[in-house]
Amino acid sequence: DEEGPAMPHPKSIGFAIDMAIHLIEQYGKLLAAAEAIEINAEECMDFDECTAMLIPMDDYHRLMEAIASAKGGA
């Protein structure tokens, strides 16, 4: 009889599932914030090596909050 690989501890499995859910939620928040900016941008201005967009402040703050949360800041 070969035993094969050892089973992970149930707490480890639960932690991995919780982390996966958290990452999916963070991805959803980032995607929603980015889509709102894309939809609500009024004007794009091109300069030599950058582009400026006029976006509502609420959309900008939502994106910054989502980025901070994804980085573990909130």
Side-chain angles (χ1 to χ4, degrees):
D1 266 339
E2 291 186 27
E3 291 185 23
M7 286 292 294
H9 192 279
K11 284 186 179 182
S12 297
I13 294 171
F15 179 76
I17 291 170
D18 289 344
M19 288 304 299
I21 291 169
H22 175 73
L23 291 173
I24 291 168
E25 290 171 347
Q26 296 307 313
Y27 174 77
K29 289 177 186 176
L30 284 168
L31 184 59
E35 286 177 341
I37 286 176
E38 181 181 26
I39 291 167
N40 296 326
E42 292 185 20
E43 184 177 344
C44 290
M45 297 171 278
D46 290 320
F47 300 99
D48 287 340
E49 292 190 23
C50 63
T51 298
M53 295 173 63
L54 299 176
I55 60 171
M57 285 303 292
D58 288 345
D59 290 344
Y60 171 78
H61 289 294
R62 195 172 301 116
L63 179 61
M64 294 300 107
E65 289 169 5
I67 290 170
S69 180
K71 289 182 175 181

